[in-house]
Amino acid sequence: MYKEYYGFKELPFNVIPDPKFLYRSPGHRDALAYITYGIFQKKGFIAVTGEVGVGKTTVINAFIDLFHKSLAIAFVFSTKFPFEQLLYLICKDLGLDVEGMNKAQMLLGLNEFLIQQYEKNMSTLVIIDEAQNLSIDVMEELRMLSNLETRDRKLLQIMLVGQPELEDLINDNDLRQLKQRIPGICRIGLLNRDEVESYVKYRLQVAGAINGSVKFTEDAYDEISHFASGIPRLINILCDRVLLIGYVKDSRIIDGRLIREGIRDLETPENPVNDRRVRLR
Ligand SMILES: Nc1ncnc2c1ncn2[C@@H]1O[C@H](COP(=O)(O)OP(=O)(O)OP(=O)(O)O)[C@@H](O)[C@H]1O
Ligand SMILES: [Mg+2]
């Protein structure tokens, strides 16, 4: 396939949130710094939001890669779970044996675990991805969970990660107490034109592109940026398609014309790839 043709060691535009490929745009770098500061300053709650495909999970994975040795981390994805189920997943991910336990027993087990961690001078972090799916009731229970503390320190840090709807949830009047505990929300923004170019070049380089094996022209970057509205996942989908077209046409130069061809391939009126869910706010 095109991997060998261009001499890549691996595919440059996979759509999995692999932190090895993390391009530290100013927005992604700020997010990583905000998360690190919030967790190590023991702020209790932190929240990260961003549009679909902007790189939230990739940033979280990069954070976990960096700090998994100094923190106990539970990383769970929220669907519309009741709290008890979420608590079960959190406990399991922390390595607790909670099979068959009820909510009170799980809370007791978790509390014991947190105190053991505290005695070892280790912090515990719960990351909830897709947190825009949480209900108000579950958010409120999470707030209670974050109340577990010793006289001098919070025992548990909670990181909420989600699409912009998460901000609406946090701003809900019924969650005023929770909101007060979040020291500002970190929003990961969209890449601008130049960042799109750097992003593409970075991913090509990490994938093992060597000089001359493939070259994107300036107008190619313009077209990609316009199509993808600065969203990395859309950039990946488009670039993957375009590299395939380049391979079929035996072209190592990717120009605007090839990009437009890729966009035509991907988009049909019934199936727009960039479904314009981007609300620039
Ligand atoms: N800064 C970045 N550097 C490299 N790749 C990135 C970056 N940001 C996003 N990506 C890539 O874009 C794709 C989507 O990223 P990711 O899954 O992290 O987005 P998300 O914000 O979590 O999306 P969703 O809202 O759907 O959960 C992945 O393939 C990821 O590797
Ligand atoms: Mg995600």
Side-chain angles (χ1 to χ4, degrees):
M1 250 259 303
Y2 78 66
K3 190 170 123 201
E4 288 73 29
Y5 174 73
Y6 293 110
F8 299 135
K9 291 199 279 291
E10 56 190 307
L11 290 175
F13 295 106
N14 245 326
V15 286
I16 49 167
D18 181 351
K20 180 176 69 206
F21 278 96
L22 182 75
Y23 159 64
R24 294 178 185 230
S25 76
H28 291 94
R29 205 172 44 225
D30 283 357
L32 207 48
Y34 164 90
I35 293 169
T36 309
Y37 173 80
I39 301 300
F40 287 99
Q41 290 300 311
K42 308 219 173 4
K43 294 292 182 190
F45 259 102
I46 63 172
V48 178
T49 64
E51 283 297 341
V52 176
V54 87
K56 301 178 294 295
T57 305
T58 310
V59 167
I60 303 310
N61 284 338
F63 175 84
I64 294 174
D65 265 14
L66 285 170
F67 294 110
H68 67 99
K69 291 210 175 101
S70 26
L71 297 164
I73 301 178
F75 186 16
V76 300
F77 288 84
S78 161
T79 51
K80 304 211 180 282
F81 290 143
F83 178 69
E84 198 162 330
Q85 228 169 314
L86 189 65
L87 182 60
Y88 172 82
L89 291 177
I90 291 170
C91 289
K92 289 288 276 188
D93 216 45
L94 288 171
L96 304 182
D97 182 12
V98 284
E99 222 56 59
M101 285 190 183
N102 65 27
K103 180 175 154 188
Q105 291 166 325
M106 286 193 280
L107 283 172
L108 216 59
L110 179 59
N111 201 19
E112 264 169 37
F113 173 84
L114 294 176
I115 288 169
Q116 282 166 13
Q117 288 295 113
Y118 171 77
E119 284 166 357
K120 287 192 260 174
N121 210 16
M122 286 270 279
S123 287
T124 304
L125 167 65
V126 170
I127 303 173
I128 303 179
D129 203 352
E130 309 285 353
Q132 74 279 353
N133 290 322
L134 296 172
S135 66
I136 295 209
D137 289 349
V138 172
M139 290 283 260
E140 188 54 20
E141 299 244 34
L142 283 173
R143 183 181 68 79
M144 309 284 262
L145 205 58
S146 83
N147 282 342
L148 297 173
E149 56 198 359
T150 61
R151 250 172 296 162
D152 64 335
R153 198 195 299 170
K154 287 232 168 280
L155 289 174
L156 186 63
Q157 311 290 314
I158 298 179
M159 184 186 331
L160 303 172
V161 183
Q163 292 162 13
E165 292 80 357
L166 174 61
E167 294 189 30
D168 302 334
L169 186 60
I170 290 169
N171 285 322
D172 192 290
N173 202 35
D174 289 341
L175 291 175
R176 293 189 303 281
Q177 274 180 295
L178 177 103
K179 190 182 175 189
Q180 279 178 5
R181 285 157 200 244
I182 300 180
I185 294 175
C186 171
R187 280 186 207 134
I188 303 181
L190 308 171
L191 302 179
N192 65 29
R193 155 67 179 77
D194 290 347
E195 289 162 2
V196 169
E197 178 172 342
S198 304
Y199 172 88
V200 170
K201 286 179 172 162
Y202 182 75
R203 291 199 67 116
L204 289 170
Q205 181 205 325
V206 175
I210 39 165
N211 259 351
S213 69
V214 59
K215 180 175 171 25
F216 283 60
T217 61
E218 286 296 314
D219 66 328
Y221 291 122
D222 294 341
E223 296 282 353
I224 296 168
S225 176
H226 180 71
F227 165 80
S229 315
I231 295 186
R233 186 181 289 128
L234 294 178
I235 300 174
N236 285 14
I237 292 170
L238 176 59
C239 288
D240 180 63
R241 173 56 64 110
V242 167
L243 286 174
L244 182 62
I245 298 174
Y247 161 68
V248 170
K249 298 195 165 185
D250 192 13
S251 171
R252 291 176 200 282
I253 307 275
I254 307 294
D255 60 10
R257 199 180 40 83
L258 276 195
I259 301 286
R260 285 192 294 279
E261 196 174 327
I263 294 171
R264 276 198 301 279
D265 268 11
L266 290 174
E267 283 204 307
T268 58
E270 310 79 52
N271 182 25
V273 176
N274 184 349
D275 62 3
R276 307 295 170 207
R277 278 162 74 193
V278 182
R279 290 139 292 165
L280 300 167
R281 55 181 199 172

